[in-house]
Amino acid sequence: MKRREFIIKSAQGGVALTLGTTLLSCLDTDKKTITMKNVSPISICTWGFIDANATAGKALDGGMTALDAAIKGVAVEEENLKNTTVGKGGAPDREGNVTLDACVMDSSGDCGAVVCVENITNVAALARVVMEETPHVMLAGKGAEELAYKKGFKAEKLLTDSSENAYREWLKTSEYKPIINIENHDTIGMLCMDGNGDIAGACTTSGLSYKMKGRVGDSPIIGSGLFIDNEIGGAAATGMGEEIMKTVGSFLIVELMRQGKSPQEACEEAVQRIVAKNNNIENFQVAYIALNKKGETGSFCIHPGFAMMEYKNGINNRIESKAVLKS
Ligand code: SD4
């Protein structure tokens, strides 16, 4: 349901949501299928998240909508305890609290985001609730968390034994150098095209490890961590959020594609904009992925080592991204 319809229906007393049904409809979306228009579905995501991308790709092949598939795909990483940059098991801030950021954008141009959310694992699904069931685009902290409980999400301890141990180790020096952030990235941004040819995406993260309390990066910011224009395509980002936000990277890529650039050329230009403004690119990573309406994809990054997953025609490929710097 679109936000405007929700407001109207709410006003008419026509909305009867019971606890739990929203979460179910956000994550267990297998029943929502579409009539395929002969478009071969595609899913791409940041980093080598084979399972997450296969989950989305297969769901799309089964007729799932792009938004449902993207949220289902990124949930795999939100629930992966080994991923220390997303969801449960994500690294905490410098005070030991895990705070998550996420956003979603659909093919109609609607979007939702949550920032600095504690105790909720599936924050991309929560961003969808903000999009579909509130009159707003973004909710922060306690407000987002309270909405989650109202809609049936359960409270979970996001700090695992292993992330707590790593945090305690870090506390010994408390060395906070956010610019040295080349290796420690696992944020998942995912772009899906469904059998109707419609594009949607999701992006979810715990942000920088041991970040300042309250720090929010690019990932939940529409236009920075994610942007979709269903007439053109979509883009998603990972890496040093501060640099991505300064250039509104994902929006920039979609606009460059609108001007005729391929997804690859657009990703390269967006990275080069950051490179041109920084004399310390040795110290941080930025990587972009993009998908256009023709089903073409691209990716580019500053440091070698970034890979994109691409699911097309039933095959899930890992594609090593070209980089500005040499290894
Ligand atoms: C952020 N872009 O919060 C995120 C970090 C990231 O993998 O991509 N980590 O700035």
Side-chain angles (χ1 to χ4, degrees), residues 218-254:
D218 61 302
S219 307
I221 309 297
I222 297 297
S224 290
L226 175 73
F227 194 73
I228 308 288
D229 182 330
N230 196 41
E231 283 175 29
I232 306 297
T238 180
M240 181 55 76
E242 280 70 8
E243 298 305 327
I244 296 161
M245 284 192 280
K246 285 180 210 169
T247 47
V248 202
S250 293
F251 180 74
L252 173 61
I253 290 169
V254 173

PDB file of all heavy atoms in Angstrom, residues 218-254:
ATOM      1  N   ASP A 218      26.210   6.656   4.905  1.00  0.00           N
ATOM      2  CA  ASP A 218      25.451   6.831   3.661  1.00  0.00           C
ATOM      3  C   ASP A 218      24.337   5.803   3.482  1.00  0.00           C
ATOM      4  O   ASP A 218      23.351   6.056   2.779  1.00  0.00           O
ATOM      5  CB  ASP A 218      26.394   6.675   2.464  1.00  0.00           C
ATOM      6  CG  ASP A 218      27.005   5.270   2.455  1.00  0.00           C
ATOM      7  OD1 ASP A 218      27.659   4.909   3.468  1.00  0.00           O
ATOM      8  OD2 ASP A 218      26.801   4.519   1.484  1.00  0.00           O
ATOM      9  N   SER A 219      24.517   4.627   4.090  1.00  0.00           N
ATOM     10  CA  SER A 219      23.676   3.481   3.722  1.00  0.00           C
ATOM     11  C   SER A 219      22.172   3.735   3.818  1.00  0.00           C
ATOM     12  O   SER A 219      21.422   3.273   2.951  1.00  0.00           O
ATOM     13  CB  SER A 219      24.061   2.250   4.549  1.00  0.00           C
ATOM     14  OG  SER A 219      25.438   2.021   4.437  1.00  0.00           O
ATOM     15  N   PRO A 220      21.679   4.449   4.852  1.00  0.00           N
ATOM     16  CA  PRO A 220      20.227   4.665   4.911  1.00  0.00           C
ATOM     17  C   PRO A 220      19.793   5.957   4.230  1.00  0.00           C
ATOM     18  O   PRO A 220      18.609   6.326   4.299  1.00  0.00           O
ATOM     19  CB  PRO A 220      19.976   4.779   6.423  1.00  0.00           C
ATOM     20  CG  PRO A 220      21.218   5.457   6.921  1.00  0.00           C
ATOM     21  CD  PRO A 220      22.354   4.983   6.050  1.00  0.00           C
ATOM     22  N   ILE A 221      20.740   6.656   3.609  1.00  0.00           N
ATOM     23  CA  ILE A 221      20.410   7.960   3.023  1.00  0.00           C
ATOM     24  C   ILE A 221      20.051   7.759   1.556  1.00  0.00           C
ATOM     25  O   ILE A 221      20.904   7.385   0.729  1.00  0.00           O
ATOM     26  CB  ILE A 221      21.598   8.951   3.136  1.00  0.00           C
ATOM     27  CG1 ILE A 221      22.117   9.017   4.580  1.00  0.00           C
ATOM     28  CG2 ILE A 221      21.204  10.340   2.611  1.00  0.00           C
ATOM     29  CD1 ILE A 221      21.144   9.540   5.599  1.00  0.00           C
ATOM     30  N   ILE A 222      18.780   8.029   1.242  1.00  0.00           N
ATOM     31  CA  ILE A 222      18.313   7.854  -0.131  1.00  0.00           C
ATOM     32  C   ILE A 222      19.110   8.797  -1.038  1.00  0.00           C
ATOM     33  O   ILE A 222      19.197   9.999  -0.776  1.00  0.00           O
ATOM     34  CB  ILE A 222      16.803   8.153  -0.224  1.00  0.00           C
ATOM     35  CG1 ILE A 222      16.005   7.160   0.631  1.00  0.00           C
ATOM     36  CG2 ILE A 222      16.314   8.136  -1.681  1.00  0.00           C
ATOM     37  CD1 ILE A 222      16.098   5.713   0.216  1.00  0.00           C
ATOM     38  N   GLY A 223      19.693   8.236  -2.081  1.00  0.00           N
ATOM     39  CA  GLY A 223      20.529   9.034  -2.994  1.00  0.00           C
ATOM     40  C   GLY A 223      22.007   8.805  -2.723  1.00  0.00           C
ATOM     41  O   GLY A 223      22.827   8.967  -3.612  1.00  0.00           O
ATOM     42  N   SER A 224      22.348   8.454  -1.495  1.00  0.00           N
ATOM     43  CA  SER A 224      23.756   8.184  -1.176  1.00  0.00           C
ATOM     44  C   SER A 224      24.019   6.680  -1.204  1.00  0.00           C
ATOM     45  O   SER A 224      24.673   6.168  -2.097  1.00  0.00           O
ATOM     46  CB  SER A 224      24.117   8.786   0.186  1.00  0.00           C
ATOM     47  OG  SER A 224      24.145  10.191   0.089  1.00  0.00           O
ATOM     48  N   GLY A 225      23.457   5.946  -0.214  1.00  0.00           N
ATOM     49  CA  GLY A 225      23.680   4.499  -0.170  1.00  0.00           C
ATOM     50  C   GLY A 225      22.859   3.745  -1.201  1.00  0.00           C
ATOM     51  O   GLY A 225      23.222   2.626  -1.593  1.00  0.00           O
ATOM     52  N   LEU A 226      21.774   4.345  -1.653  1.00  0.00           N
ATOM     53  CA  LEU A 226      20.869   3.654  -2.590  1.00  0.00           C
ATOM     54  C   LEU A 226      20.040   4.679  -3.345  1.00  0.00           C
ATOM     55  O   LEU A 226      19.617   5.680  -2.756  1.00  0.00           O
ATOM     56  CB  LEU A 226      19.910   2.747  -1.788  1.00  0.00           C
ATOM     57  CG  LEU A 226      18.806   2.027  -2.559  1.00  0.00           C
ATOM     58  CD1 LEU A 226      19.390   0.874  -3.386  1.00  0.00           C
ATOM     59  CD2 LEU A 226      17.748   1.464  -1.595  1.00  0.00           C
ATOM     60  N   PHE A 227      19.825   4.428  -4.622  1.00  0.00           N
ATOM     61  CA  PHE A 227      18.845   5.227  -5.351  1.00  0.00           C
ATOM     62  C   PHE A 227      18.306   4.411  -6.519  1.00  0.00           C
ATOM     63  O   PHE A 227      19.048   3.676  -7.176  1.00  0.00           O
ATOM     64  CB  PHE A 227      19.446   6.535  -5.879  1.00  0.00           C
ATOM     65  CG  PHE A 227      18.372   7.501  -6.332  1.00  0.00           C
ATOM     66  CD1 PHE A 227      17.580   8.154  -5.407  1.00  0.00           C
ATOM     67  CD2 PHE A 227      18.126   7.721  -7.686  1.00  0.00           C
ATOM     68  CE1 PHE A 227      16.550   9.017  -5.800  1.00  0.00           C
ATOM     69  CE2 PHE A 227      17.116   8.579  -8.092  1.00  0.00           C
ATOM     70  CZ  PHE A 227      16.329   9.228  -7.150  1.00  0.00           C
ATOM     71  N   ILE A 228      16.997   4.554  -6.723  1.00  0.00           N
ATOM     72  CA  ILE A 228      16.333   3.839  -7.826  1.00  0.00           C
ATOM     73  C   ILE A 228      15.485   4.842  -8.602  1.00  0.00           C
ATOM     74  O   ILE A 228      14.762   5.642  -7.997  1.00  0.00           O
ATOM     75  CB  ILE A 228      15.349   2.758  -7.282  1.00  0.00           C
ATOM     76  CG1 ILE A 228      15.997   1.810  -6.269  1.00  0.00           C
ATOM     77  CG2 ILE A 228      14.680   2.004  -8.428  1.00  0.00           C
ATOM     78  CD1 ILE A 228      16.967   0.815  -6.813  1.00  0.00           C
ATOM     79  N   ASP A 229      15.588   4.802  -9.911  1.00  0.00           N
ATOM     80  CA  ASP A 229      14.580   5.445 -10.754  1.00  0.00           C
ATOM     81  C   ASP A 229      14.181   4.385 -11.768  1.00  0.00           C
ATOM     82  O   ASP A 229      14.990   4.019 -12.638  1.00  0.00           O
ATOM     83  CB  ASP A 229      15.147   6.689 -11.448  1.00  0.00           C
ATOM     84  CG  ASP A 229      14.076   7.372 -12.293  1.00  0.00           C
ATOM     85  OD1 ASP A 229      13.167   6.672 -12.803  1.00  0.00           O
ATOM     86  OD2 ASP A 229      14.143   8.598 -12.448  1.00  0.00           O
ATOM     87  N   ASN A 230      12.978   3.893 -11.636  1.00  0.00           N
ATOM     88  CA  ASN A 230      12.571   2.731 -12.428  1.00  0.00           C
ATOM     89  C   ASN A 230      12.605   2.973 -13.932  1.00  0.00           C
ATOM     90  O   ASN A 230      12.612   2.037 -14.720  1.00  0.00           O
ATOM     91  CB  ASN A 230      11.173   2.276 -11.979  1.00  0.00           C
ATOM     92  CG  ASN A 230      10.837   0.884 -12.457  1.00  0.00           C
ATOM     93  OD1 ASN A 230      11.691   0.000 -12.432  1.00  0.00           O
ATOM     94  ND2 ASN A 230       9.616   0.683 -12.905  1.00  0.00           N
ATOM     95  N   GLU A 231      12.649   4.229 -14.345  1.00  0.00           N
ATOM     96  CA  GLU A 231      12.770   4.486 -15.792  1.00  0.00           C
ATOM     97  C   GLU A 231      14.197   4.309 -16.269  1.00  0.00           C
ATOM     98  O   GLU A 231      14.458   4.103 -17.449  1.00  0.00           O
ATOM     99  CB  GLU A 231      12.350   5.923 -16.100  1.00  0.00           C
ATOM    100  CG  GLU A 231      10.867   6.105 -16.098  1.00  0.00           C
ATOM    101  CD  GLU A 231      10.506   7.569 -16.280  1.00  0.00           C
ATOM    102  OE1 GLU A 231      11.267   8.318 -16.915  1.00  0.00           O
ATOM    103  OE2 GLU A 231       9.445   7.949 -15.761  1.00  0.00           O
ATOM    104  N   ILE A 232      15.144   4.431 -15.320  1.00  0.00           N
ATOM    105  CA  ILE A 232      16.561   4.462 -15.695  1.00  0.00           C
ATOM    106  C   ILE A 232      17.332   3.263 -15.144  1.00  0.00           C
ATOM    107  O   ILE A 232      18.007   2.536 -15.874  1.00  0.00           O
ATOM    108  CB  ILE A 232      17.229   5.760 -15.135  1.00  0.00           C
ATOM    109  CG1 ILE A 232      16.456   7.005 -15.581  1.00  0.00           C
ATOM    110  CG2 ILE A 232      18.717   5.819 -15.532  1.00  0.00           C
ATOM    111  CD1 ILE A 232      16.419   7.235 -17.072  1.00  0.00           C
ATOM    112  N   GLY A 233      17.269   3.072 -13.833  1.00  0.00           N
ATOM    113  CA  GLY A 233      18.019   2.000 -13.195  1.00  0.00           C
ATOM    114  C   GLY A 233      18.231   2.307 -11.731  1.00  0.00           C
ATOM    115  O   GLY A 233      17.519   3.126 -11.142  1.00  0.00           O
ATOM    116  N   GLY A 234      19.233   1.653 -11.134  1.00  0.00           N
ATOM    117  CA  GLY A 234      19.493   1.861  -9.714  1.00  0.00           C
ATOM    118  C   GLY A 234      20.973   1.759  -9.426  1.00  0.00           C
ATOM    119  O   GLY A 234      21.755   1.258 -10.235  1.00  0.00           O
ATOM    120  N   ALA A 235      21.351   2.261  -8.225  1.00  0.00           N
ATOM    121  CA  ALA A 235      22.747   2.175  -7.792  1.00  0.00           C
ATOM    122  C   ALA A 235      22.782   2.005  -6.281  1.00  0.00           C
ATOM    123  O   ALA A 235      21.855   2.422  -5.573  1.00  0.00           O
ATOM    124  CB  ALA A 235      23.505   3.433  -8.207  1.00  0.00           C
ATOM    125  N   ALA A 236      23.849   1.386  -5.792  1.00  0.00           N
ATOM    126  CA  ALA A 236      24.045   1.231  -4.351  1.00  0.00           C
ATOM    127  C   ALA A 236      25.533   1.362  -4.047  1.00  0.00           C
ATOM    128  O   ALA A 236      26.377   1.165  -4.923  1.00  0.00           O
ATOM    129  CB  ALA A 236      23.518  -0.120  -3.880  1.00  0.00           C
ATOM    130  N   ALA A 237      25.797   1.714  -2.783  1.00  0.00           N
ATOM    131  CA  ALA A 237      27.179   2.026  -2.400  1.00  0.00           C
ATOM    132  C   ALA A 237      27.613   1.245  -1.175  1.00  0.00           C
ATOM    133  O   ALA A 237      26.794   0.815  -0.361  1.00  0.00           O
ATOM    134  CB  ALA A 237      27.278   3.523  -2.091  1.00  0.00           C
ATOM    135  N   THR A 238      28.914   1.099  -1.046  1.00  0.00           N
ATOM    136  CA  THR A 238      29.507   0.624   0.195  1.00  0.00           C
ATOM    137  C   THR A 238      30.849   1.340   0.342  1.00  0.00           C
ATOM    138  O   THR A 238      31.408   1.837  -0.626  1.00  0.00           O
ATOM    139  CB  THR A 238      29.668  -0.914   0.198  1.00  0.00           C
ATOM    140  OG1 THR A 238      30.264  -1.306   1.439  1.00  0.00           O
ATOM    141  CG2 THR A 238      30.523  -1.402  -0.939  1.00  0.00           C
ATOM    142  N   GLY A 239      31.337   1.395   1.555  1.00  0.00           N
ATOM    143  CA  GLY A 239      32.612   2.076   1.782  1.00  0.00           C
ATOM    144  C   GLY A 239      32.446   3.246   2.723  1.00  0.00           C
ATOM    145  O   GLY A 239      31.483   3.304   3.502  1.00  0.00           O
ATOM    146  N   MET A 240      33.357   4.176   2.626  1.00  0.00           N
ATOM    147  CA  MET A 240      33.387   5.304   3.562  1.00  0.00           C
ATOM    148  C   MET A 240      32.191   6.222   3.328  1.00  0.00           C
ATOM    149  O   MET A 240      32.163   7.036   2.399  1.00  0.00           O
ATOM    150  CB  MET A 240      34.703   6.054   3.355  1.00  0.00           C
ATOM    151  CG  MET A 240      34.877   7.240   4.267  1.00  0.00           C
ATOM    152  SD  MET A 240      34.723   6.812   5.996  1.00  0.00           S
ATOM    153  CE  MET A 240      36.281   6.032   6.269  1.00  0.00           C
ATOM    154  N   GLY A 241      31.204   6.080   4.192  1.00  0.00           N
ATOM    155  CA  GLY A 241      29.934   6.763   3.997  1.00  0.00           C
ATOM    156  C   GLY A 241      30.048   8.266   3.885  1.00  0.00           C
ATOM    157  O   GLY A 241      29.308   8.900   3.127  1.00  0.00           O
ATOM    158  N   GLU A 242      30.987   8.843   4.611  1.00  0.00           N
ATOM    159  CA  GLU A 242      31.124  10.301   4.593  1.00  0.00           C
ATOM    160  C   GLU A 242      31.446  10.780   3.176  1.00  0.00           C
ATOM    161  O   GLU A 242      30.913  11.795   2.711  1.00  0.00           O
ATOM    162  CB  GLU A 242      32.223  10.735   5.575  1.00  0.00           C
ATOM    163  CG  GLU A 242      31.801  10.778   7.045  1.00  0.00           C
ATOM    164  CD  GLU A 242      31.548   9.406   7.685  1.00  0.00           C
ATOM    165  OE1 GLU A 242      31.849   8.374   7.043  1.00  0.00           O
ATOM    166  OE2 GLU A 242      31.035   9.358   8.813  1.00  0.00           O
ATOM    167  N   GLU A 243      32.298  10.041   2.483  1.00  0.00           N
ATOM    168  CA  GLU A 243      32.673  10.449   1.114  1.00  0.00           C
ATOM    169  C   GLU A 243      31.522  10.216   0.136  1.00  0.00           C
ATOM    170  O   GLU A 243      31.311  10.998  -0.790  1.00  0.00           O
ATOM    171  CB  GLU A 243      33.917   9.683   0.656  1.00  0.00           C
ATOM    172  CG  GLU A 243      35.148   9.950   1.510  1.00  0.00           C
ATOM    173  CD  GLU A 243      35.492  11.436   1.611  1.00  0.00           C
ATOM    174  OE1 GLU A 243      35.249  12.178   0.634  1.00  0.00           O
ATOM    175  OE2 GLU A 243      35.984  11.849   2.678  1.00  0.00           O
ATOM    176  N   ILE A 244      30.798   9.144   0.363  1.00  0.00           N
ATOM    177  CA  ILE A 244      29.669   8.836  -0.530  1.00  0.00           C
ATOM    178  C   ILE A 244      28.582   9.904  -0.377  1.00  0.00           C
ATOM    179  O   ILE A 244      28.003  10.375  -1.357  1.00  0.00           O
ATOM    180  CB  ILE A 244      29.116   7.424  -0.205  1.00  0.00           C
ATOM    181  CG1 ILE A 244      30.190   6.367  -0.493  1.00  0.00           C
ATOM    182  CG2 ILE A 244      27.837   7.137  -0.993  1.00  0.00           C
ATOM    183  CD1 ILE A 244      29.969   5.028   0.170  1.00  0.00           C
ATOM    184  N   MET A 245      28.351  10.318   0.863  1.00  0.00           N
ATOM    185  CA  MET A 245      27.305  11.333   1.106  1.00  0.00           C
ATOM    186  C   MET A 245      27.681  12.674   0.486  1.00  0.00           C
ATOM    187  O   MET A 245      26.822  13.392  -0.010  1.00  0.00           O
ATOM    188  CB  MET A 245      27.081  11.505   2.610  1.00  0.00           C
ATOM    189  CG  MET A 245      26.284  10.360   3.204  1.00  0.00           C
ATOM    190  SD  MET A 245      25.719  10.714   4.889  1.00  0.00           S
ATOM    191  CE  MET A 245      27.187  10.373   5.809  1.00  0.00           C
ATOM    192  N   LYS A 246      28.971  13.019   0.537  1.00  0.00           N
ATOM    193  CA  LYS A 246      29.384  14.334   0.017  1.00  0.00           C
ATOM    194  C   LYS A 246      29.106  14.463  -1.471  1.00  0.00           C
ATOM    195  O   LYS A 246      28.957  15.568  -1.989  1.00  0.00           O
ATOM    196  CB  LYS A 246      30.884  14.542   0.269  1.00  0.00           C
ATOM    197  CG  LYS A 246      31.230  14.868   1.707  1.00  0.00           C
ATOM    198  CD  LYS A 246      32.744  15.057   1.824  1.00  0.00           C
ATOM    199  CE  LYS A 246      33.241  14.670   3.189  1.00  0.00           C
ATOM    200  NZ  LYS A 246      34.718  14.596   3.229  1.00  0.00           N
ATOM    201  N   THR A 247      29.086  13.324  -2.161  1.00  0.00           N
ATOM    202  CA  THR A 247      28.845  13.383  -3.612  1.00  0.00           C
ATOM    203  C   THR A 247      27.485  12.782  -3.997  1.00  0.00           C
ATOM    204  O   THR A 247      27.204  12.617  -5.191  1.00  0.00           O
ATOM    205  CB  THR A 247      29.961  12.630  -4.367  1.00  0.00           C
ATOM    206  OG1 THR A 247      30.161  11.371  -3.724  1.00  0.00           O
ATOM    207  CG2 THR A 247      31.255  13.406  -4.379  1.00  0.00           C
ATOM    208  N   VAL A 248      26.678  12.437  -2.987  1.00  0.00           N
ATOM    209  CA  VAL A 248      25.355  11.827  -3.232  1.00  0.00           C
ATOM    210  C   VAL A 248      25.489  10.743  -4.322  1.00  0.00           C
ATOM    211  O   VAL A 248      24.825  10.756  -5.356  1.00  0.00           O
ATOM    212  CB  VAL A 248      24.300  12.883  -3.623  1.00  0.00           C
ATOM    213  CG1 VAL A 248      22.885  12.372  -3.361  1.00  0.00           C
ATOM    214  CG2 VAL A 248      24.495  14.171  -2.826  1.00  0.00           C
ATOM    215  N   GLY A 249      26.390   9.789  -4.010  1.00  0.00           N
ATOM    216  CA  GLY A 249      26.890   8.877  -5.038  1.00  0.00           C
ATOM    217  C   GLY A 249      25.869   8.087  -5.822  1.00  0.00           C
ATOM    218  O   GLY A 249      25.965   8.000  -7.052  1.00  0.00           O
ATOM    219  N   SER A 250      24.902   7.477  -5.149  1.00  0.00           N
ATOM    220  CA  SER A 250      23.981   6.603  -5.889  1.00  0.00           C
ATOM    221  C   SER A 250      23.051   7.415  -6.793  1.00  0.00           C
ATOM    222  O   SER A 250      22.760   7.013  -7.927  1.00  0.00           O
ATOM    223  CB  SER A 250      23.164   5.745  -4.906  1.00  0.00           C
ATOM    224  OG  SER A 250      24.027   4.841  -4.262  1.00  0.00           O
ATOM    225  N   PHE A 251      22.631   8.565  -6.312  1.00  0.00           N
ATOM    226  CA  PHE A 251      21.803   9.449  -7.146  1.00  0.00           C
ATOM    227  C   PHE A 251      22.612   9.905  -8.361  1.00  0.00           C
ATOM    228  O   PHE A 251      22.126   9.914  -9.491  1.00  0.00           O
ATOM    229  CB  PHE A 251      21.347  10.658  -6.312  1.00  0.00           C
ATOM    230  CG  PHE A 251      20.490  11.628  -7.079  1.00  0.00           C
ATOM    231  CD1 PHE A 251      19.182  11.316  -7.389  1.00  0.00           C
ATOM    232  CD2 PHE A 251      20.989  12.859  -7.479  1.00  0.00           C
ATOM    233  CE1 PHE A 251      18.386  12.207  -8.105  1.00  0.00           C
ATOM    234  CE2 PHE A 251      20.202  13.750  -8.189  1.00  0.00           C
ATOM    235  CZ  PHE A 251      18.895  13.427  -8.503  1.00  0.00           C
ATOM    236  N   LEU A 252      23.870  10.253  -8.094  1.00  0.00           N
ATOM    237  CA  LEU A 252      24.742  10.699  -9.186  1.00  0.00           C
ATOM    238  C   LEU A 252      24.833   9.631 -10.284  1.00  0.00           C
ATOM    239  O   LEU A 252      24.718   9.935 -11.474  1.00  0.00           O
ATOM    240  CB  LEU A 252      26.137  11.006  -8.618  1.00  0.00           C
ATOM    241  CG  LEU A 252      27.231  11.330  -9.614  1.00  0.00           C
ATOM    242  CD1 LEU A 252      26.891  12.576 -10.429  1.00  0.00           C
ATOM    243  CD2 LEU A 252      28.566  11.523  -8.886  1.00  0.00           C
ATOM    244  N   ILE A 253      25.004   8.389  -9.860  1.00  0.00           N
ATOM    245  CA  ILE A 253      25.142   7.307 -10.850  1.00  0.00           C
ATOM    246  C   ILE A 253      23.874   7.162 -11.689  1.00  0.00           C
ATOM    247  O   ILE A 253      23.927   7.035 -12.921  1.00  0.00           O
ATOM    248  CB  ILE A 253      25.500   5.982 -10.137  1.00  0.00           C
ATOM    249  CG1 ILE A 253      26.931   6.072  -9.602  1.00  0.00           C
ATOM    250  CG2 ILE A 253      25.340   4.775 -11.071  1.00  0.00           C
ATOM    251  CD1 ILE A 253      27.324   4.962  -8.651  1.00  0.00           C
ATOM    252  N   VAL A 254      22.726   7.214 -11.036  1.00  0.00           N
ATOM    253  CA  VAL A 254      21.471   7.088 -11.791  1.00  0.00           C
ATOM    254  C   VAL A 254      21.320   8.267 -12.756  1.00  0.00           C
ATOM    255  O   VAL A 254      20.915   8.100 -13.915  1.00  0.00           O
ATOM    256  CB  VAL A 254      20.254   6.966 -10.832  1.00  0.00           C
ATOM    257  CG1 VAL A 254      18.943   7.021 -11.606  1.00  0.00           C
ATOM    258  CG2 VAL A 254      20.341   5.655 -10.043  1.00  0.00           C
TER     259      VAL A 254
END
